[in-house]
Amino acid sequence: MAEDTVPADNNKHNPSKLLSEQKPQVYVLRDWKEYAGESFLIIFSVLLALVLTEFINSLHEKNETKELLNNVRNELITNKRFEEEQYAYHQKVLRSIDSALENPEMQKKIVSTGEFHLQYIAPEGVLYRYLDDVAWEVAKSHNISSRVSLKTISMLTYIYQDQARIMKSEDEVAKVFLSSESRKPENVRVTLILIRDNYKGWAVDRAPGLLKQYDKAIKILGDEE
């Protein structure tokens, strides 16, 4: 039987044909200007991204600062109204104490059967209103002191410290009438005087100045918005 013959691959035996069929590779040489241009674009893109990021962060901080100060301002407006009401109430309490000091029969009602009846001089309790500081505490937690002037921070710090002192009058007055000595009829006059002095020292004498500071702070914070 005749064998089938497979034609040989002539390319293997023809190097010149192999070379002619290979695609030529072209290498493009670039000068320094092209490299400099690319480098400039990269640097420009990075700087632009940084500038945009800084701008966005600055805008966010500005809006956040505005919101924090607005919350503090609203809190001060409410506290001012509450303190005006409380100041009037505390003055009424002082008048009741002065009246009781001149009335032995009232003193017997205030201290009787081993109890001190505060309602005869302060029917709504020691404090009539509570002065909040939530917005101020939130603002401080967001480092508000680095965002506004030192003068503004000093003013707000003074206001909230004075608020805290007025609120402390509740504890100081309570120490007096909750003591065992206040339950003795022979001590009622001294007890009333101590309560009066605590009201005056912690709250009443401080209130007019605080109300003026409220007005000032509310105006300044309104201008900064």
Side-chain angles (χ1 to χ4, degrees):
M1 178 186 293
E3 296 182 357
D4 293 335
T5 60
V6 180
D9 188 353
N10 293 330
N11 289 341
K12 293 181 180 180
H13 303 286
N14 192 346
S16 61
K17 189 174 181 179
L18 271 173
L19 292 173
S20 65
E21 290 179 353
Q22 291 179 348
K23 295 181 179 180
Q25 296 181 355
V26 179
Y27 295 93
V28 180
L29 297 178
R30 297 186 295 175
D31 60 16
W32 66 270
K33 293 182 179 179
E34 294 182 23
Y35 285 110
E38 290 182 358
S39 300
F40 174 78
L41 288 176
I42 293 173
I43 294 172
F44 176 78
S45 299
V46 172
L47 290 176
L48 180 61
L50 291 174
V51 170
L52 288 175
T53 300
E54 183 65 23
F55 173 76
I56 293 173
N57 290 339
S58 177
L59 185 63
H60 172 73
E61 183 175 293
K62 183 178 180 181
N63 290 334
E64 185 182 61
T65 301
K66 183 178 179 180
E67 181 181 0
L68 291 170
L69 291 178
N70 185 59
N71 290 340
V72 171
R73 184 173 184 271
N74 289 335
E75 185 172 75
L76 292 180
I77 290 173
T78 301
N79 286 348
K80 178 179 180 289
R81 176 167 57 85
F82 283 175
E83 179 53 28
E84 287 173 338
E85 295 173 356
Q86 181 155 257
Y87 181 45
Y89 172 71
H90 283 167
Q91 288 179 313
K92 182 179 178 181
V93 170
L94 291 183
R95 289 194 294 271
S96 296
I97 293 174
D98 288 339
S99 177
L101 287 171
E102 297 177 0
N103 189 341
E105 293 302 316
M106 177 59 68
Q107 294 175 26
K108 292 178 182 179
K109 291 181 179 180
I110 293 173
V111 176
S112 64
T113 63
E115 295 184 22
F116 188 95
H117 300 281
L118 183 68
Q119 68 271 19
Y120 285 109
I121 57 174
E124 301 296 334
V126 177
L127 292 178
Y128 184 63
R129 291 288 184 263
Y130 284 89
L131 309 177
D132 289 328
D133 63 352
V134 176
W136 175 236
E137 291 299 323
V138 171
K140 289 194 295 182
S141 71
H142 285 76
N143 199 24
I144 193 66
S145 60
S146 65
R147 307 185 188 190
V148 296
S149 68
L150 178 62
K151 183 178 180 180
T152 300
I153 292 298
S154 298
M155 176 184 60
L156 292 174
T157 300
Y158 172 85
I159 288 173
Y160 280 97
Q161 285 178 346
D162 250 14
Q163 279 191 187
R165 294 186 183 100
I166 289 176
M167 299 299 289
K168 188 175 174 60
S169 64
E170 184 174 48
D171 294 334
E172 296 303 317
V173 171
K175 289 178 183 178
V176 177
F177 74 80
L178 291 178
S179 69
S180 59
E181 292 299 313
S182 70
R183 312 305 171 92
K184 298 178 181 179
E186 64 270 22
N187 293 335
V188 61
R189 183 174 178 82
V190 174
T191 299
L192 288 172
I193 291 173
L194 290 174
I195 291 176
R196 182 190 63 187
D197 291 347
N198 272 287
Y199 265 116
K200 288 178 62 64
W202 288 102
V204 177
D205 291 347
R206 184 170 278 111
L210 178 59
L211 291 173
K212 290 180 181 179
Q213 288 298 314
Y214 278 140
D215 288 333
K216 183 178 178 181
I218 290 168
K219 183 179 184 305
I220 290 176
L221 294 178
D223 293 340
E224 291 188 3
E225 291 183 3

